Amino acid sequence: MSDIHPVDPAFAAQARVRKGDYERMYAQSIQDPEGFWKEMSERLDWIVPPTKIKDVSFDPNNLHIRWYEDGQLNVSANCLDRHLDRHGDKTAIIFEGDDPGESRSITYRELHAEVCKFANTLKNLGVTKGDRVVIYLPMIPEAAVAMLACARIGAVHSVVFGGFSPDSLASRIADSGAKLIVTADEGCRGGKKIPLKANVDESLTRPRTNSVETVIVVRRTGGAINLQSPRDRWYHTLMEGQSADCAYEPMNAEDPLFTLYTSGSTGQPKGVLHTSGGYLVYTSLTHELTFDLREDDVYWCTADVGWITGHSYVVYGPLANAATVVMFDGVPNYPDFSRFWQVVDKHKVTLFYTAPTAIRALMREGDAPVKKTSRKSLRLLGTVGEPINPEAWNWYYRVVGEERCPIVDTWWQTETGGFLITPLPGATDLKPGSATLPFFGIVPAIVDAEGRRQEGACSGNLVITDSWPGQMRTVYGDHQRFIDTYFKTYPGNYFTGDGARRDEDGYYWITGRVDDVINVSGHRIGTAEVESALVAHPKVAEAAVVGCPHDIKGQGIYAFVTLVAGEMGSDELVRELIAGVRKEIGPIAAPDHLQWAPGLPKTRSGKIMRRILRKIAENQPDQLGDVSTLADPGVVKNLVEERLIK
Ligand code: PRX
């Protein structure tokens, strides 16, 4: 029996959605999706309100996903202009730098002016509707400004996380055909400098990046950089004298808003494309109801804008709701392990949203760094990115929230745009480790390997049976890949790539990825990408990468490497190979363990049996299952004996 935390009656009394409301609204959303989503669309300001609400088919032979297709709106106008009358002087962004001495606040009116000026800057540089713009910035307000300025003029942004290497950046530039890049001289995290501009320079020496005409550089640290004229321009110089008026572009609801690259089972990361109307309806609604947002809340989501959480729940959802958002450019342990809670106290944060990996890392330091802060302002906590183990959940609940704050464990994906399975804090009893129940309009199902739908309490693969407005629309430049990846495995359904269990109360428990994706600290790493970075080394013949348990990161990366004949493994070569992965992809993809494999377990047709490698990496050598179908069952014995986690 799992632990149950019933909804706190005092919380529920004030909440936007209460028990009973949830059941009623959920039933309505499923019985009459058109009516429900029409009503929900009215939360936005439309230039032309939609009359066609939903036109969807999940049939792989006739796949199409359209929401609000005859509506017109502008996302930046919805996040800014429409708030000016009532909320012009309200704080939109509280910026907190890496250095605890650095913070500033920006009102909605100021943010609007800055976005208009930057939109004019982009226009002057020849950026027009439909052009792609890469944003490679730290967690500074200029990142939100750049995103919203693109949205204002109809340019499609592609934010690349600042921790990605020049090679990863280059492949995203090449795939998107970006005309312009917005970056900073350097980033600064945990007291360390990140050479963002130098990384851009290096990426632009790579093939297929010559679409880039301009690089705009925000001065963040003042560190020395190389400015190449006429390509590279300072942000502050370009902004001088720009008008703070910029008419927004009327956009069709289905016009692209952004692409964001994410890893999958195979090949290069794919550009997940989100459109304008449905995405903003969905992110703003989920943000408001899941966080039970109120007028005077101070909301802090610790995710970087380089990930979907930063898009949907640092920028678009909260700003569409006229929320006050904390943007933090630091890390949880700098200058010390109290930092999160110091920031909570400093800015009187009421809603706090972070990842289980951060909670586990802080939990390891004990209660003292938390307890020396007040945290009285907090009224709700959230988690995202990976399953949260009940131990971490309980610590978060008991020590951080002092048993006063409900925890919303939000399950979703880059592809889903917003939360699909999540508690609503005034309506849903909580069970530590469960993302609980579906959001309005979401019909999850659990299927077995053959696609047969399971009923009642069961476990299997998680699919979603019908569309919701925030769903991705395509893989940028490769619609067939979109169909093949998500709609072919279980025809008629969207396949999430996750496994899940449903309990007797209908609660969902996400068990993790069932494909070749590893979830490291809440970040998706494709095994294929790490393998191709390893085999790029001339001494490597073959590599197979799987996930392994990791106390802090949730999952670590475990690599099995076969060297070319005649080469010998050494500690130095291990370091060299790991350095190669860091360089090729970025530090987040660096293997935690690298084991030499004289041979890899393969079927007679040559397919690597990852199931066996996973068990070895999980230190469960007695659960390898049937190895008799292997071409050479002997290779397993060596791998088991030499395993690195025992
Ligand atoms: O495996 C699930 C896990 O993260 C994956 C999505 O990763 P990404 O697209 O990078 O988006 C992360 C932020 C939404 C999912 O397929 N995941 C995300 N949230 C949870 C989770 N697993 C369990 N519980 C969650 N709350």
Side-chain angles (χ1 to χ4, degrees):
M1 266 304 282
S2 55
D3 222 4
I4 296 191
H5 293 258
V7 174
D8 174 358
F11 192 101
Q14 314 266 332
R16 287 182 173 271
V17 181
R18 303 176 200 177
K19 272 219 170 100
D21 295 345
Y22 170 76
E23 286 75 9
R24 182 181 49 75
M25 287 176 75
Y26 183 75
Q28 187 206 342
S29 73
I30 304 306
Q31 283 152 13
D32 176 19
E34 300 241 350
F36 180 84
W37 288 115
K38 179 173 194 322
E39 193 183 330
M40 293 306 132
S41 72
E42 289 160 10
R43 59 189 294 104
L44 299 185
D45 271 9
W46 294 84
I47 301 164
V48 177
T51 62
K52 295 185 184 163
I53 303 305
K54 178 186 179 195
D55 180 10
V56 172
S57 161
F58 275 3
D59 174 356
N61 298 314
N62 176 32
L63 187 94
H64 57 271
I65 302 168
R66 295 181 205 114
W67 286 90
Y68 309 122
E69 63 183 295
D70 61 349
Q72 279 187 18
L73 80 172
N74 182 282
V75 166
S76 116
N78 273 282
C79 292
L80 300 166
D81 305 51
R82 68 173 175 147
H83 303 324
L84 295 183
D85 272 355
R86 279 186 48 228
H87 294 113
D89 298 321
K90 181 174 177 179
T91 301
I93 296 178
I94 302 176
F95 171 66
E96 169 78 17
D98 187 53
D99 178 339
E102 187 188 18
S103 56
R104 68 190 154 103
S105 291
I106 301 167
T107 64
Y108 271 94
R109 201 176 315 286
E110 289 163 345
L111 186 61
H112 173 263
E114 191 83 359
V115 167
C116 286
K117 285 163 75 176
F118 196 58
N120 283 327
T121 302
L122 292 175
K123 280 205 220 167
N124 292 345
L125 291 166
V127 178
T128 57
K129 183 172 173 176
D131 284 343
R132 274 81 59 214
V133 169
V134 162
I135 299 175
Y136 185 62
L137 282 172
M139 274 297 281
I140 53 179
E142 287 81 356
V145 170
M147 291 163 79
L148 291 164
C150 287
R152 196 161 189 92
I153 64 172
V156 182
H157 61 69
S158 180
V159 182
V160 178
F161 173 57
F164 278 125
S165 68
D167 286 315
S168 294
L169 175 60
S171 69
R172 286 154 170 81
I173 295 168
D175 191 73
S176 65
K179 200 172 195 176
L180 185 142
I181 302 181
V182 190
T183 190
D185 48 3
E186 296 175 310
C188 187
R189 284 274 168 99
K192 289 196 215 83
K193 302 275 165 63
I194 302 137
L196 295 174
K197 173 60 167 60
N199 287 351
V200 170
D201 292 345
E202 199 180 329
S203 74
L204 292 180
T205 65
R206 301 289 191 271
R208 303 198 303 122
T209 55
N210 55 6
S211 56
V212 175
E213 294 166 8
T214 310
V215 178
I216 300 182
V217 188
V218 177
R219 184 178 274 155
R220 169 81 183 109
T221 63
I225 56 160
N226 187 12
L227 273 194
Q228 184 182 313
S229 181
R231 188 194 70 188
D232 302 344
R233 314 284 295 272
W234 281 114
Y235 177 92
H236 57 266
T237 316
L238 288 169
M239 293 283 273
E240 262 167 38
Q242 291 290 353
S243 161
D245 267 334
C246 175
Y248 47 81
E249 190 72 27
M251 302 294 286
N252 183 273
E254 284 295 343
D255 279 338
L257 178 62
F258 65 85
T259 60
L260 181 62
Y261 287 79
T262 192
S263 296
S265 309
T266 53
Q268 285 292 312
K270 36 185 182 295
V272 168
L273 185 132
H274 282 288
T275 56
S276 302
Y279 174 80
L280 201 65
V281 169
Y282 198 74
T283 52
S284 66
L285 179 70
T286 47
H287 177 259
E288 180 177 288
L289 300 189
T290 305
F291 293 107
D292 188 46
L293 187 71
R294 299 211 205 121
E295 180 69 41
D296 53 357
D297 272 319
V298 177
Y299 163 81
W300 180 16
C301 164
T302 67
D304 192 283
V305 284
W307 309 109
I308 190 69
T309 312
H311 284 62
S312 301
Y313 299 109
V314 174
V315 178
Y316 289 115
L319 296 180
N321 290 335
T324 295
V325 179
V326 175
M327 255 183 115
F328 178 47
D329 197 23
V331 293
N333 60 351
Y334 179 82
D336 60 51
F337 282 95
S338 258
R339 184 69 191 278
F340 272 1
W341 324 122
Q342 290 159 3
V343 175
V344 165
D345 285 352
K346 177 172 172 186
H347 301 299
K348 303 281 177 287
V349 171
T350 56
L351 312 170
F352 178 74
Y353 185 39
T354 196
T357 186
I359 298 164
R360 287 193 296 266
L362 295 172
M363 183 171 81
R364 194 175 59 170
E365 301 302 315
D367 299 0
V370 187
K371 290 200 163 148
K372 68 184 195 202
T373 61
S374 152
R375 288 157 288 106
K376 278 217 164 42
S377 54
L378 288 175
R379 66 180 192 91
L380 180 140
L381 303 171
T383 76
V384 58
E386 46 172 328
I388 181 163
N389 46 315
E391 194 195 357
W393 195 102
N394 282 311
W395 184 82
Y396 196 30
Y397 184 73
R398 200 172 39 76
V399 180
V400 176
E402 296 176 335
E403 305 188 13
R404 184 182 71 238
C405 306
I407 297 180
V408 290
D409 175 354
T410 59
W411 174 83
W412 60 298
Q413 312 177 297
T414 306
E415 293 88 338
T416 71
F419 309 149
L420 295 198
I421 300 183
T422 177
L424 297 181
T428 318
D429 296 342
L430 304 174
K431 299 188 189 185
S434 169
T436 77
L437 299 171
F439 190 75
F440 302 132
I442 304 301
V443 189
I446 293 187
V447 295
D448 67 10
E450 281 71 47
R452 286 180 298 243
R453 200 167 292 187
Q454 310 292 295
E455 301 300 331
C458 60
S459 56
N461 294 333
L462 181 64
V463 300
I464 310 295
T465 62
D466 198 357
S467 185
W468 62 98
Q471 181 169 26
M472 76 183 278
R473 300 298 196 261
T474 190
V475 170
Y476 184 76
D478 196 349
H479 194 61
Q480 193 56 45
R481 193 172 171 198
F482 177 56
I483 300 170
D484 293 347
T485 308
Y486 302 104
F487 300 96
K488 285 245 167 104
T489 323
Y490 301 111
N493 298 288
Y494 165 78
F495 178 42
T496 64
D498 277 341
R501 177 167 78 78
R502 187 171 52 216
D503 71 14
E504 55 291 348
D505 297 325
Y507 275 45
Y508 288 84
W509 302 73
I510 307 298
T511 48
R513 301 290 305 190
V514 293
D515 54 5
D516 291 322
V517 171
I518 310 180
N519 190 327
V520 182
S521 301
H523 302 315
R524 271 159 72 166
I525 311 285
T527 53
E529 287 168 72
V530 183
E531 287 161 5
S532 88
L534 288 167
V535 297
H537 193 285
K539 291 185 181 168
V540 174
E542 203 170 21
V545 168
V546 295
C548 61
H550 190 289
D551 283 351
I552 303 293
K553 300 181 190 175
Q555 276 193 299
I557 300 178
Y558 196 119
F560 295 88
V561 173
T562 307
L563 294 174
V564 297
E567 293 296 343
M568 285 285 288
S570 65
D571 289 350
E572 195 192 330
L573 188 52
V574 170
R575 282 193 292 274
E576 217 178 285
L577 293 181
I578 292 176
V581 177
R582 294 174 77 94
K583 185 173 169 302
E584 190 108 344
I585 307 174
I588 53 169
D592 298 276
H593 305 281
L594 194 152
Q595 177 176 351
W596 304 120
L600 291 169
K602 290 186 186 165
T603 59
R604 293 197 186 98
S605 60
K607 197 166 171 292
I608 296 174
M609 298 271 285
R610 285 165 196 285
R611 170 176 64 78
I612 294 175
L613 295 175
R614 268 185 223 119
K615 290 293 171 199
I616 297 173
E618 288 165 7
N619 190 25
Q620 297 184 325
D622 49 339
Q623 291 180 28
L624 298 183
D626 184 10
V627 296
S628 64
T629 55
L630 292 179
D632 176 8
V635 299
V636 173
K637 186 163 177 287
N638 165 279
L639 295 180
V640 167
E641 278 167 9
E642 301 292 323
R643 69 189 189 279
L644 300 173
I645 304 180
K646 286 188 186 167

